[in-house]
Amino acid sequence: MDYKIVHSKAASTTVEKHSENQIKITRYYKNGKVKTEGVYNYMVDLGVGTLDLNKFDTKPDTKVGTHTWYHKNGKVFKSLNYTDGKEDDPDVKIYHSNGKVMEEGAIKMGRRVGAWKFYTKRGKLELTEEF
């Protein structure tokens, strides 16, 4: 499902050094609120031995740790852990803009697994699907 938040363009982006070989990228909505934030492994082939914050690559396989997306109102949309650049989280929750859970389940190395529950905007369980 394409939620638009994940794939829509950001109004601005900041890049900062997170650790020796990692960068933290934060993207913002036009209203100044954070759209998404997360840590990426620095692509060493882009620099010459040192981290250059003006040269970075955010290919999907470079994501590490927790990445979080937000609705325009500032509420969390989803927060996922990444392992080896793939979504890998046993307790995923995706939220409606009102803060109520929209979907919940597990993702293992980029694939939904087990039972996923889907809820209405009012929080009523609408569907359970097995993956």
Side-chain angles (χ1 to χ4, degrees):
M1 179 182 280
D2 182 0
Y3 301 101
K4 295 183 184 173
I5 291 173
V6 177
H7 300 291
S8 62
K9 291 187 178 187
S12 64
T13 301
T14 60
V15 181
E16 60 187 59
K17 185 174 181 175
H18 179 72
S19 67
E20 186 61 31
N21 293 314
Q22 295 177 331
I23 54 175
K24 180 179 179 187
I25 296 178
T26 306
R27 293 184 168 102
Y28 299 88
Y29 286 108
K30 287 181 182 178
N31 67 8
K33 292 187 185 263
V34 175
K35 179 183 187 300
T36 182
E37 59 188 348
V39 175
Y40 295 78
N41 284 323
Y42 180 65
M43 302 295 287
V44 294
D45 61 325
L46 296 177
V48 184
T50 60
L51 182 65
D52 181 352
L53 296 181
N54 294 313
K55 294 180 181 178
F56 61 91
D57 193 343
T58 58
K59 292 180 183 174
D61 61 347
T62 63
K63 290 181 180 178
V64 293
T66 302
H67 284 242
T68 305
W69 290 260
Y70 300 88
H71 288 281
K72 285 184 180 179
N73 65 9
K75 291 188 179 198
V76 171
F77 166 64
K78 71 177 181 174
S79 187
L80 290 172
N81 186 62
Y82 283 79
T83 302
D84 296 329
K86 295 189 186 284
E87 295 173 341
D88 191 35
D89 199 316
D91 187 26
V92 176
K93 287 186 174 55
I94 301 171
Y95 298 91
H96 291 287
S97 60
N98 65 4
K100 298 216 182 256
V101 175
M102 179 184 347
E103 301 176 21
E104 62 182 343
I107 296 178
K108 184 72 177 163
M109 297 310 289
R111 295 182 175 258
R112 289 180 183 221
V113 294
W116 271 74
K117 296 179 180 180
F118 300 84
Y119 301 88
T120 66
K121 284 188 175 183
R122 292 187 173 205
K124 181 181 175 192
L125 180 62
E126 190 172 44
L127 171 71
T128 299
E129 190 172 341
E130 194 70 33
F131 287 86

